[in-house]
Amino acid sequence: MERRFTRSSTGAQTAVAEPPGPLAHDIHWADERRTAIGVTCLLYTALLAADAGFGTLDMTRGALWTGLATLVFVVLLPPRVSTAPGVLSARGLLTRHTVRTDSLVSIRWSDGVAQRMILRDTEGGVVEIDPAVLVRNPAMWHRFDEDTRTSIRRGTLLRGATALRRLAARIDRETARTVFKLSGLH
């Protein structure tokens, strides 16, 4: 991060950290947040309506449904991923994880129900993101790709070159598919 220095009225000099460059955010995050809110509200309304319809709604059950709806929202709300030169951040409801993408040590895939990419840097930072975030956000992918190339040049990226190539191939396929679709050649 760049630092800028300011002087207070007493003459003391203090450093103010500035972001290192333009930020790129997940452009689909707001839609996913709205979906999480909508699903949560729908579930909450259905539970309350069913309970009221059966005549079993009371304060305890209302609190139980409120807690369940809150839990569903927390689970469905995706982290907000952003990139800046040398940095990738994932901000959840209560947490924020940051990794230096220009000094990555490893990139791993966690294949399961939801595919995840786990990034580790030389400073011990760990971020777990959905690789689809990079696929559907060209500005984020460009920034991430440049920084991972820096990691490779520096020799810090010890594990994950295969995972990175797999992600690049996926992004190339998606880009080609989009170009063909927009040009009418699909």
Side-chain angles (χ1 to χ4, degrees):
M1 265 193 204
E2 294 179 23
R3 293 195 185 263
R4 160 174 70 88
F5 293 93
T6 60
R7 292 210 182 266
S8 67
S9 59
T10 60
Q13 190 175 19
T14 57
V16 178
E18 290 184 349
L23 292 174
H25 295 280
D26 180 2
I27 58 176
H28 300 283
W29 181 81
D31 293 335
E32 291 179 356
R33 180 187 59 191
R34 271 192 296 279
T35 300
I37 291 169
V39 167
T40 301
C41 290
L42 186 64
L43 174 68
Y44 185 60
T45 303
L47 290 170
L48 289 178
D51 234 5
F54 291 125
T56 56
L57 184 61
D58 59 13
M59 290 296 284
T60 305
R61 291 179 70 91
L64 175 70
W65 299 143
T66 302
L68 180 63
T70 303
L71 179 64
V72 167
F73 176 72
V74 168
V75 169
L76 291 180
L77 183 68
R80 183 159 195 179
V81 180
S82 62
T83 58
V87 178
L88 185 139
S89 296
R91 188 177 71 216
L93 199 57
L94 301 173
T95 62
R96 181 184 183 109
H97 299 282
T98 302
V99 69
R100 296 286 313 181
T101 50
D102 57 359
S103 59
L104 289 173
V105 173
S106 71
I107 301 172
R108 287 188 310 116
W109 288 91
S110 172
D111 289 325
V113 174
Q115 194 175 55
R116 293 283 185 233
M117 191 166 66
I118 303 161
L119 310 168
R120 294 183 187 280
D121 66 12
T122 56
E123 299 170 4
V126 178
V127 171
E128 186 175 323
I129 64 167
D130 182 353
V133 170
L134 296 173
V135 170
R136 65 183 183 224
N137 291 285
M140 290 180 68
W141 167 247
H142 178 70
R143 175 82 268 143
F144 181 76
D145 187 42
E146 279 185 16
D147 290 342
T148 54
R149 290 175 195 269
T150 301
S151 293
I152 292 170
R153 274 194 310 276
R154 290 180 178 169
T156 60
L157 187 59
L158 305 174
R159 293 183 188 165
T162 303
L164 197 54
R165 280 193 299 271
R166 187 167 51 168
L167 180 61
R170 179 178 172 190
I171 289 172
D172 289 344
R173 280 191 311 274
E174 292 292 326
T175 302
R177 190 175 294 131
T178 302
V179 168
F180 285 137
K181 187 182 290 183
L182 291 175
S183 66
L185 297 173
H186 66 286

